[in-house]
Structure formats: C-alpha cells, structure tokens
Amino acid sequence: MIARTGDRLAALEGRLVVSCQAYPGEPMRSPVIMAAVAQAVVQGGAHGVRAQGIEDLKAIRPLVDVCLIGLVKRGSDGVFITPTVADAVDCVAAGADIVALDGTARPRPDGEPLAASVAAVHERGALVMADCGSLDDALYSIEAGADCVGTTLAGYTGARPVSRGPDLELLAELVGRVNIPVIAEGRIRNPQDAQACLRAGAYAVVVGTAITHPARITRTFVEQLHA
C-alpha cells in the first residue's frame, strides 16, 4: 500500500482521482459493489479513489494500491462532509490516506472547530483535504492546517453561483492565492473539463458522477434521445 508519509499526496499530482460513491436507496449502494467499482477505476488508470462511508472504506482499502481519500456524509445540509472529529478519526481507522472534511467556517455538529478535526487526522498519520466553496473557505482551511483544498463545494454554500461545468474561475483564484495543492472537483463531466482544470492549475482532478453513476449517465443518454 502507499506509505502513509509525504508520498500520499505527491502520488496524485497531475492525475485522476475517481469518486466511487452511490446515493442512499440506489441499487449500487453496497460496500461490496463500491469496492468493485474502485478496483475497476484503478484498473482503468485512476491514481486515487475518493469514497464515502466507513464500511465502504474498509471494503476498498485492501483491494486498491492507490491513495484513498475517505469521508463520511451525514445528512445533506450545512456541514455534512465528515462533520465531526469522531468521523474524521473513524475515516483514518478505516484506511483513508487523506480525509476529506467540510472546509468552511460554518458551525459543526460537535461544536468543534475545523482545526480540531485536522489535528486529530494528523495525529493519526493521515492528511486532510478541505472541501471548499470559496477563497475564504480555502484560507480558513489552510489556517486550520489542511494539506490540500478542493473546489468540491463551489456553488453549494451560497458563496458562489452554481457553474454549468467545473468552477474554473474559483479554481484559478485558489491556485493564484494559496500555497498548498488545489484539487478540482465538482461538475467535471468529460475529459475536456478535466483537461481544462489541469490547464487552470489544478494539482489533481476528481471525477465522480460522469464515471461511476450509471443512473445519471443513462439519464443523459435517454434525455438526448428524446430531445
């Protein structure tokens, strides 16, 4: 497995990370299935996997020899991406090399600041990716000790409008203002979008729905056929 040292993040530079997640109630919402999906995307050339849920992380970790970005989602409003210190610790224990956390200054369910979750992850030998929705979020996350920031929440916190594709404007702003890796994530729908993110300075690119969500992909084809 990838050593839990500085190699974890370095292995992602210029590479593709695939988000292997299924939504509640979907047929693919199973750790066994998500582990198979993770194996498939690694076979296809992904250098990292982003996965949600402790059981999914435990199922995926023994099967892939790439960087594993782990998170826990609780609810869908406010701070719901790895919202507590306990959730962050659980992700590390389940095998995550990098823990993705909500990187905003919004109140967290356990009442602890972001810095407390970051410190807990670092104490256990893993790194932190802060999911951000604005430059202010990124600066706040860096002050809290995050090792990298992502554009994951662009358009979802009220700080910025939802862009049609990846928020290249925010991406370029972050690249120009912060001194840690910036990972592009969110609404990257095709290889051309991914290339545009790298050209804008992204350290790595995370793609999810466009690769690992059959229902959404199928719906796109159906809608085009009936347009």
Side-chain angles (χ1 to χ4, degrees):
M1 293 297 173
I2 288 187
R4 293 197 163 193
T5 61
D7 290 344
R8 290 168 294 182
L9 192 52
L12 301 181
E13 185 172 7
R15 304 293 187 174
L16 174 68
V17 177
V18 176
S19 182
C20 301
Q21 301 182 45
Y23 301 103
E26 293 183 341
M28 292 181 65
R29 186 71 199 94
S30 159
V32 173
I33 294 175
M34 286 299 102
V37 171
Q39 285 182 291
V41 300
V42 170
Q43 189 177 67
H47 275 63
V49 168
R50 177 169 162 128
Q52 186 278 136
I54 300 305
E55 295 308 313
D56 284 22
L57 293 171
K58 288 180 178 178
I60 292 169
R61 178 70 286 173
L63 302 179
V64 301
D65 193 21
V66 298
C67 185
L68 180 58
I69 301 174
L71 62 139
V72 170
K73 288 182 179 177
R74 301 199 182 280
S76 58
D77 297 315
V79 176
F80 66 90
I81 298 175
T82 321
T84 69
V85 174
D87 289 329
V89 169
D90 287 345
C91 286
V92 181
D97 298 303
I98 299 175
V99 178
L101 308 171
D102 179 293
T104 72
R106 296 176 295 182
R108 306 176 80 82
D110 60 0
E112 295 289 343
L114 173 61
S117 290
V118 174
V121 171
H122 286 169
E123 286 170 5
R124 289 160 177 79
L127 301 180
V128 167
M129 174 180 174
D131 291 347
C132 300
S134 68
L135 174 61
D136 286 342
D137 291 344
L139 296 177
Y140 171 73
S141 297
I142 292 169
E143 185 176 355
D147 302 286
C148 60
V149 296
T151 58
T152 318
L153 294 178
Y156 301 117
T157 64
R160 299 179 61 81
V162 179
S163 56
R164 183 175 179 83
D167 193 333
L168 297 175
E169 182 179 288
L170 176 60
L171 176 60
E173 185 178 24
L174 296 183
V175 169
R177 291 288 302 275
V178 308
N179 58 0
I180 62 175
V182 179
I183 297 177
E185 181 174 8
R187 298 182 294 279
I188 300 171
R189 298 189 172 100
N190 52 57
Q192 293 72 35
D193 284 346
Q195 288 177 323
C197 289
L198 287 182
R199 287 196 298 268
Y203 187 83
V205 177
V206 178
V207 178
T209 300
I211 295 176
T212 60
H213 199 262
R216 186 78 61 85
I217 297 167
T218 302
R219 192 175 302 123
T220 299
F221 277 89
V222 171
E223 290 172 352
Q224 289 298 315
L225 288 173
H226 294 279

